[in-house]
Amino acid sequence: MANIRPLAPELAQVAREQLNEVDSDVVTKIQALRNWLNQEEYIEARTDDQFLVAFLRFCHWDLEEAKKRILFYYTYKTKERELLKSRLVDDKLLELARSGIFTSLPNPIGPGGPRIHFTRMGHIEPSKHSVSDIFRFHAFRAEIEINTDDNWNIAGVVEIIDFTKIPYSLVLQFDAGMFKRMNAFLEHGIPANLVATHIVNASRETQFVLGLVKGVMKQKELLHIHPNLDSLQKAIGKEYLPVEMGGENGSLANGPSWYETQFNSFSTYFREDEKYVVDEKLRAACERDQEKPPPLVGGCVANEGSFRRLNID
């Protein structure tokens, strides 16, 4: 039996009907993914059941796709240290947690529905918080959600972003190239689907920048810009919004203490995360060896698919 959280009935139904989850295959597929990770010497990765099942579910239990995604996940975290910086829970991360910028609303959109994230851009202080700092927060939060949030993993996430009083100096930091690098992690590494991004209270200048961002998005239909609160309420469902926006789904004031508790509880986890990397030199050697007999050379398993190094620049 796999050591994973039992799913609520509504979420289990989504997993079966939309993600091809078959109870009798769960243990076998998790073990197969673990065996592959243990055999490939160039990748050092987490191999516990709950972590691995997140990637298998996202990939609709296609083992080869799960291998590619988890490989991209660790390749990115190894290569993009400039963006992700240290993997430790440091003062900068806790400062962002306490800032009130971010909140995960307590109720998803229905028992089997997506998680809702809320971001208040007006709480960002550009003198303290850069765009890359914000991205790093998202990456850390995603790592926690891989391990704790089945709605996020199975049904996806809806992002609501309030642009009220956004500092214009922050808007000027947005760069299409940097956004592309950041978006690569969300699109090809994180095991959760972005269901939609809803933006409200954006100025004309900000809407222009958002238009540039939308231009580099592959799924442009996921970005919705609302002219007012009424439009957002109709799109999401009023009951799923926080009380500050006329809803019934918790208060934005609860975000800081919840995130601080989460980050502190995962501090050891993130400290250990420093050792999980992809060795590109060994990987290149393994890929060369996989093109030749015998089936097992230098710890590199043949016939499991030769994954080309991923271009995430």
Side-chain angles (χ1 to χ4, degrees):
M1 184 174 179
N3 185 22
I4 58 177
R5 285 182 302 276
L7 300 176
E10 298 87 349
L11 203 54
Q13 183 177 352
V14 173
R16 287 192 301 272
E17 295 178 357
Q18 298 183 23
L19 306 185
N20 303 324
E21 187 159 320
V22 179
D23 291 344
S24 59
D25 291 342
V26 169
V27 173
T28 303
K29 291 287 183 72
I30 290 175
Q31 189 57 51
L33 184 55
R34 180 184 294 113
N35 289 344
W36 175 75
L37 287 167
N38 287 335
Q39 289 167 339
E40 295 290 7
E41 289 187 350
Y42 61 81
I43 180 170
E44 191 74 28
R46 296 185 183 277
T47 57
D48 59 277
D49 289 359
Q50 192 68 62
F51 184 82
L52 297 183
V53 79
F55 288 87
L56 286 162
R57 280 172 169 159
F58 179 87
C59 295
H60 294 206
W61 293 91
D62 183 319
L63 183 59
E64 295 306 313
E65 289 302 313
K67 290 177 184 178
K68 292 176 185 177
R69 194 162 193 94
I70 204 167
L71 178 54
F72 187 100
Y73 182 81
Y74 280 112
T75 298
Y76 189 100
K77 286 173 58 166
T78 302
K79 188 174 181 180
E80 286 287 10
R81 295 308 292 269
E82 178 189 353
L83 287 175
L84 294 172
K85 303 180 176 70
S86 166
R87 296 184 192 176
L88 301 180
V89 176
D90 53 21
D91 290 341
K92 174 69 75 174
L93 200 63
L94 291 175
E95 182 182 81
L96 278 168
R98 300 178 188 124
S99 67
I101 299 168
F102 306 102
T103 306
S104 284
L105 299 183
N107 300 318
I109 301 179
R115 178 64 55 201
I116 308 171
H117 289 163
F118 200 101
T119 302
R120 291 186 284 184
M121 301 294 282
H123 281 59
I124 297 174
E125 298 182 50
S127 61
K128 296 180 180 179
H129 314 134
S130 67
V131 171
S132 60
D133 290 333
I134 302 300
F135 171 70
R136 181 171 179 252
F137 180 95
H138 279 279
F140 271 70
R141 176 172 64 181
E143 186 93 26
I144 292 173
E145 287 169 318
I146 288 172
N147 291 278
T148 62
D149 195 338
D150 296 317
N151 283 80
W152 176 87
N153 175 228
I154 293 171
V157 60
V158 169
E159 299 281 353
I160 303 175
I161 307 176
D162 184 358
F163 272 74
T164 302
K165 297 181 179 179
I166 179 175
Y168 191 62
S169 57
L170 182 73
V171 176
L172 294 176
Q173 289 185 37
F174 279 89
D175 171 82
M178 179 183 286
F179 178 82
K180 228 175 165 182
R181 288 169 63 197
M182 294 175 178
N183 193 57
F185 193 43
L186 307 178
E187 188 175 344
H188 302 294
I190 298 297
N193 274 318
L194 176 62
V195 176
T197 297
H198 294 271
I199 292 172
V200 66
N201 298 324
S203 67
R204 288 184 180 180
E205 294 83 2
T206 304
Q207 288 185 41
F208 173 77
V209 175
L210 291 171
L212 298 177
V213 169
K214 192 171 184 177
V216 299
M217 291 177 65
K218 286 189 176 178
Q219 295 176 291
K220 298 175 177 57
E221 71 279 4
L222 300 184
L223 182 60
H224 307 274
I225 302 175
H226 299 278
N228 51 51
L229 179 57
D230 184 59
S231 172
L232 177 65
Q233 290 176 340
K234 288 178 181 177
I236 299 293
K238 188 175 179 180
E239 68 273 25
Y240 295 119
L241 293 175
V243 294
E244 290 86 349
M245 303 199 84
E248 305 167 4
N249 197 3
S251 171
L252 299 177
N254 296 330
S257 60
W258 189 85
Y259 278 124
E260 184 172 5
T261 299
Q262 287 283 84
F263 283 125
N264 282 327
S265 67
F266 271 79
S267 59
T268 300
Y269 177 99
F270 286 117
R271 192 177 304 118
E272 293 172 350
D273 205 52
E274 292 281 353
K275 68 184 180 184
Y276 298 116
V277 295
V278 171
D279 185 323
E280 288 291 354
K281 290 183 179 179
L282 182 57
R283 180 179 175 180
C286 286
E287 288 177 345
R288 286 195 298 271
D289 288 339
Q290 284 178 357
E291 296 174 358
K292 311 171 187 176
L296 181 62
V297 180
C300 305
V301 180
N303 302 320
E304 287 285 0
S306 179
F307 299 121
R308 295 183 178 86
R309 283 184 296 282
L310 299 160
N311 182 7
I312 55 178
D313 292 331

